[in-house]
């Protein structure tokens, strides 16, 4: 039994997964779980990050670590604590409102520089800057960078000695964060583009599979229509003839019943072959047997036994290379459908003629009959049942770049089906 496409995709994914180093797989799985948790509960993650940096800022204040880098260690401690909280607490909204958070931190940064306290928590401004780089336009990124740099530059102009220690380090930190944000943003957009492309390709693959399934259903329906429609028409003709003969000639009635049995068995055998290819648990189903033009005589004999006189005319000689199995099947099915329609719809004394004409470039099949009466109106393309058969003939002809003409004969004394197919070895 064949493996479904989804199972094959899963097997391929598992095979790819086995080639990933264990450490890489562990790190990737941990990051995936962390991202999944963040998507489910973003406020929890924001609160955890904010709490971490707030504790770090407060510890820097309580331990007096800020005095190690401060230019003025006499700055009021209450002001230092407020500035530390002002740089850390707004991080709770760093992802939802990064620009307002940075705007709130800017005046605090200006006070921090001008008082000389220079608390290290001021570097937390780089976190909303990073979020702005990830999500906003480059014009907004430029405005954010300006908001970060202006307080630092003003402090540098106020105290020129701070250029080497503070201004340059702050600017380099800004450059690093901006470049890191651009790299992460580019990688994220590239990954999203790949995912979108994969989804689009998967959708197109599923759509192609649905179209292929629909085409296969149409092909099977066409084959079943030809097999069942023809054989049932022959059986109906034989049964009607047998019922009539039973009253006058029991021997002819017995022949009709024997022909009905033969036709029924042949139809059942063809249906079994057709349905056998649809079953996955029958790999030995006969895939190749299909009617060819060599069986055309048997077809005409069955139609004759059903009560329709048919004459077969052959003009020209075919070449083995030009008559491929598919082309022969198309001609056979068109002739079968045309004779079946004659059996079903023609009224009055009717005979049919099948003419095959081989030329160096084309094969012409002409099926005519002498049927008349109101029953022929059901064979027009406006009749739903007959339209199925005519549509099937047109589709078969189109598969081989052929043409099909169906309609009354010019002299209005019957019906005509004209099939014209280019031979295989004449294609460019």
């Amino acid at each position: 039994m064949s493996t479904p496409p989804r199972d094959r995709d899963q097997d391929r994914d598992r095979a790819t997964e086995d080639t990933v180093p264990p450490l890489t797989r562990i790190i990737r799985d941990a990051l995936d779980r962390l991202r999944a948790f963040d998507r489910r509960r973003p406020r929890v993650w924001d609160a955890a990050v904010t709490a971490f940096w707030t504790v770090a800022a407060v510890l820097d204040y309580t331990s007096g670590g800020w005095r190690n880098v401060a230019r003025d260690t006499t700055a009021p401690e209450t002001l230092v604590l407020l500035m530390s909280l002002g740089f850390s607490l707004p991080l709770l909204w760093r992802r939802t409102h990064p620009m307002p958070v940075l705007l709130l931190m800017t005046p605090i940064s200006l006070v921090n520089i001008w008082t000389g306290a220079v608390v290290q928590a001021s570097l937390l401004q780089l976190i909303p800057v990073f979020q702005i780089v990830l999500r906003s336009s480059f014009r907004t990124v430029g405005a954010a960078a300006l908001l970060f740099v202006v307080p630092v530059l003003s402090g540098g102009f106020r105290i020129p000695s701070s250029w080497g220690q503070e201004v340059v380090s702050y600017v380099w930190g800004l450059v690093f964060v901006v470049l890191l944000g651009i790299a992460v943003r580019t990688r994220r957009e590239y990954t999203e583009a790949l995912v979108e492309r994969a989804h689009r390709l998967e959708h197109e693959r599923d759509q192609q599979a649905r179209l292929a399934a629909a085409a296969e259903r149409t092909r099977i329906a066409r084959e079943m229509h030809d097999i069942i429609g023809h054989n049932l028409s022959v059986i109906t003709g034989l049964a009607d003839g047998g019922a009539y003969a039973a009253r006058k000639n029991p021997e002819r009635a017995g022949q009709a019943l024997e022909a009905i049995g033969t036709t029924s068995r042949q139809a059942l055998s063809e249906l079994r072959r057709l349905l056998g290819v649809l079953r996955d648990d029958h790999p030995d189903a006969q895939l190749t047997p299909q009617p060819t033009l060599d069986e055309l005589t048997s077809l005409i004999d069955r139609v004759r036994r059903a009560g329709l006189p048919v004459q077969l005319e052959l003009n020209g000689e075919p070449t083995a290379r030009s008559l491929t199995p598919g082309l022969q099947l198309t001609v056979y099915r068109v002739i079968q459908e045309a004779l079946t329609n004659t059996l079903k719809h023609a009224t009055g004394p009717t005979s049919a003629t099948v003419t095959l004409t081989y030329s160096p470039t084309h094969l012409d099949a002409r099926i005519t009959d002498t049927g008349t009466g109101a029953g022929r109106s059901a064979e027009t393309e406006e009749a739903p049942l007959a339209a199925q058969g005519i549509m099937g003939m047109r589709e078969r002809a189109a598969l081989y770049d052929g043409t099909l003409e169906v309609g009354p004969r010019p002299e209005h004394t019957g019906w005509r089906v004209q099939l014209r197919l280019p031979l295989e070895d004449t294609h460019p």
Side-chain angles (χ1 to χ4, degrees):
M1 184 176 295
S2 62
T3 305
R6 188 175 298 276
D7 293 341
R8 289 199 297 268
D9 293 341
Q10 293 175 353
D11 294 340
R12 184 168 59 250
D13 293 340
R14 284 194 292 267
T16 304
E17 186 73 15
D18 293 338
T19 62
V20 178
L23 181 59
T24 302
R25 187 163 57 247
I26 292 173
I27 296 175
R28 187 190 61 190
D29 292 343
L31 291 175
D32 289 342
R33 286 194 293 270
L34 186 61
R35 294 191 188 98
F37 177 81
D38 185 30
R39 285 193 296 269
R40 291 195 305 270
R41 296 180 175 86
R43 303 306 298 174
V44 174
W45 178 251
D46 290 340
V49 171
T50 303
F52 173 81
W53 288 114
T54 301
V55 170
V58 172
L59 287 177
D60 182 61
Y61 160 74
T62 57
S63 65
W66 62 277
R67 290 188 174 90
N68 296 329
V69 294
R71 293 195 310 272
D72 184 1
T73 58
T74 63
E77 293 187 359
T78 302
L79 180 62
V80 173
L81 176 60
L82 292 175
M83 288 191 298
S84 299
L85 295 177
F87 284 125
S88 57
L89 289 178
L91 294 179
L92 184 63
W93 300 276
R94 74 191 189 283
R95 291 195 294 186
T96 56
H97 303 88
M99 198 63 180
V101 168
L102 186 60
L103 286 171
L104 177 63
M105 292 181 175
T106 299
I108 301 175
S109 176
L110 187 61
V111 173
N112 179 50
I113 295 295
W114 279 71
T115 59
V118 194
V119 294
Q120 298 300 300
S122 62
L123 291 174
L124 295 178
Q125 297 175 92
L126 294 174
I127 296 178
V129 170
F130 179 77
Q131 295 295 328
I132 292 172
V133 175
L134 284 183
R135 304 178 182 184
S136 303
S137 64
F138 286 106
R139 179 178 297 180
T140 306
V141 172
L146 194 62
L147 288 173
F148 179 83
V149 169
V150 165
V152 179
L153 293 180
S154 64
F157 285 113
R158 180 173 180 269
I159 306 174
S161 61
S162 64
W163 278 89
Q165 179 181 356
E166 297 174 7
V167 176
V168 175
S169 61
Y170 272 66
V171 171
W172 274 115
L174 175 65
V175 172
F176 173 77
V177 168
V178 170
L179 293 178
L180 177 62
I182 291 175
V184 173
R185 177 175 180 170
T186 302
R187 177 66 179 176
R188 178 182 296 177
E189 291 175 350
Y190 176 71
T191 303
E192 291 175 353
L194 288 180
V195 171
E196 182 182 358
R197 181 172 182 269
H199 289 164
R200 185 171 63 252
L201 290 176
E202 182 179 2
H203 176 72
E204 291 176 356
R205 181 196 64 187
D206 294 342
Q207 187 177 35
Q208 290 296 328
R210 288 193 295 270
L211 291 175
E216 185 65 12
R217 286 195 297 269
T218 301
R219 186 189 67 82
I220 294 171
R222 185 170 60 234
E223 289 292 331
M224 293 187 68
H225 172 272
D226 291 343
I227 293 171
I228 296 175
H230 169 73
N231 287 285
L232 286 181
S233 296
V234 172
I235 291 172
T236 301
L238 290 170
D240 292 341
Y244 177 78
R247 295 190 294 269
K248 296 184 178 181
N249 191 341
E251 183 179 352
R252 291 293 300 273
Q255 294 175 355
L257 290 174
E258 182 180 353
I260 289 174
T262 302
T263 303
S264 300
R265 285 189 293 272
Q266 182 178 4
L268 183 60
S269 176
E270 290 188 29
L271 283 176
R272 283 174 175 170
R273 285 199 300 265
L274 178 62
L275 298 177
V277 301
L278 304 179
R279 303 185 60 181
D280 292 336
D281 55 349
H282 282 72
D284 297 329
Q286 298 180 6
L287 303 179
T288 55
Q290 292 286 357
T292 65
L293 292 182
D294 293 336
E295 301 177 44
L296 191 58
T297 302
S298 299
L299 170 66
I300 291 177
D301 288 340
R302 289 199 303 271
V303 175
R304 286 170 179 164
R305 288 197 299 269
L308 175 64
V310 182
Q311 181 180 358
L312 177 62
E313 298 178 358
L314 300 177
N315 300 319
E317 291 292 334
T319 60
R321 186 176 61 171
S322 62
L323 295 181
T324 62
L327 188 143
Q328 293 188 58
L329 175 64
T330 296
V331 177
Y332 181 94
R333 292 301 190 197
V334 169
I335 294 174
Q336 182 185 57
E337 178 65 21
L339 294 178
T340 300
N341 287 340
T342 300
L343 281 171
K344 290 191 295 185
H345 302 301
T347 59
T350 304
S351 62
T353 301
V354 177
T355 304
L356 288 181
T357 303
Y358 298 95
S359 69
T361 59
H362 289 83
L363 168 60
D364 293 287
R366 181 183 175 90
I367 305 94
T368 58
D369 63 59
T370 59
T372 58
R376 300 320 296 266
S377 62
E379 205 172 342
T380 62
E381 295 195 36
E382 286 75 12
L385 294 179
Q388 271 194 343
I390 294 175
M391 185 182 301
M393 289 191 290
R394 293 193 189 282
E395 290 174 352
R396 289 185 182 278
L399 286 176
Y400 290 90
D401 299 326
T403 59
L404 183 82
E405 297 178 7
V406 179
R409 296 171 65 182
E411 56 272 21
H412 300 288
T413 58
W415 202 258
R416 173 181 61 88
V417 176
Q418 179 74 42
L419 172 67
R420 185 175 179 84
L421 296 175
L423 297 181
E424 291 287 321
D425 58 355
T426 63
H427 286 182

